[in-house]
Amino acid sequence: MQNNKVLEVIAADINDINIINLSNADRIEFCKELKKSGFTPDYEDIEEACKISKLPINVMVRNTDRDFCYTDAEFNQMLEDIKFINKTKANSIVIGILTPDNKIDVERMKIVKESLSENIKITFHKAFDLVEDKIEAVKLLEDIGISTILTSAGNKIDDNLELLKELTNSTEIEILAGGGVNWNNFTNVKDCSNSIHIGTLARVNNSWDDSCDIDFINKAKNLLT
């Protein structure tokens, strides 16, 4: 279990990047199409975000919300996106690839790992929530060399707090608790993981349609620490 307290905030555009950089957040996940749980941003935006941000930028690599089992064409596009991200100062890519029976696609994840620059890490995103044996999945991701797993430990984070804590205590991988984090459950979630990922909680009216709010982000950081 990692000891640092980390607050990661989702950004949808360069304006969000600028706002989050003025807050006490620790890290940014950058993606577009937030209502579809996040797609890869446009290349020029990735380049700009990595250039201007003082905070680490984790870039989503995802091009469909159909499922997490990708066609050859979709996977090849992901590798092209990674090739571009390799040229930037990104901290990490955010990706998750499953087999048709919702197990970790070890073969493809190894290809992803091998295609990355040495200085860029991997966050395995909430595709992890669909995996049945999550303890075994953590071991597989450890062997591949994944740095972070973004998860609510299942469908609804409030119902999975014990498993979330078990996952956190079972590995040196950073377990990043996210998906359904709100003011009512924030304290319970932070007792299960030192890293928390927020989306609508960081926004005016808790809505993807509105911009990030520095006060909300700082409130979450204060609660975490």
Side-chain angles (χ1 to χ4, degrees), residues 89-174:
K89 293 180 179 178
N91 175 66
S92 175
I93 62 167
V94 183
I95 193 168
I97 307 175
L98 303 178
T99 61
D101 55 350
N102 285 339
K103 293 186 164 104
I104 304 294
D105 191 327
V106 173
E107 182 179 341
R108 279 185 163 178
M109 287 304 302
K110 283 181 177 177
I111 293 171
V112 166
K113 177 66 175 174
E114 289 163 5
S115 72
L116 270 175
S117 296
E118 287 185 8
N119 58 317
I120 298 180
K121 299 179 244 184
I122 300 176
T123 296
F124 195 96
H125 63 45
K126 282 173 59 62
F128 184 86
D129 294 344
L130 299 180
V131 176
E132 185 172 350
D133 189 340
K134 293 178 175 59
I135 299 295
E136 176 62 26
V138 167
K139 293 175 184 173
L140 292 174
L141 294 175
E142 279 179 342
D143 291 341
I144 294 167
I146 304 304
S147 298
T148 300
I149 299 171
L150 169 60
T151 183
S152 51
N155 187 41
K156 189 178 179 187
I157 199 164
D158 292 330
D159 296 335
N160 300 298
L161 295 175
E162 286 304 314
L163 178 55
L164 189 63
K165 186 182 291 186
E166 184 181 356
L167 292 170
T168 299
N169 292 331
S170 73
T171 180
E172 292 302 311
I173 291 179
E174 176 191 28

Side-chain angles (χ1 to χ4, degrees), residues 1-7 168 174-175 189-196 224:
M1 178 179 177
Q2 55 106 32
N3 294 317
N4 296 334
K5 304 283 189 180
V6 175
L7 181 70
T168 299
E174 176 191 28
I175 300 298
V189 173
K190 77 162 188 170
D191 288 342
C192 301
S193 174
N194 285 331
S195 297
I196 295 185
L224 181 58

Side-chain angles (χ1 to χ4, degrees), residues 14 30 41-51 84 88:
I14 298 300
F30 187 32
D42 298 335
Y43 285 1
E44 58 267 31
D45 288 338
I46 296 173
E47 188 172 36
E48 177 72 6
C50 293
K51 192 181 295 182
F84 177 82
T88 73

Side-chain angles (χ1 to χ4, degrees), residues 16-44:
D16 284 347
I17 300 282
N18 286 322
I19 292 171
I20 299 167
N21 266 277
L22 295 172
S23 76
N24 296 326
D26 300 290
R27 195 169 62 211
I28 297 172
E29 180 192 270
F30 187 32
C31 51
K32 66 178 184 180
E33 299 287 354
L34 297 184
K35 292 180 182 179
K36 295 181 179 180
S37 296
F39 287 180
T40 306
D42 298 335
Y43 285 1
E44 58 267 31

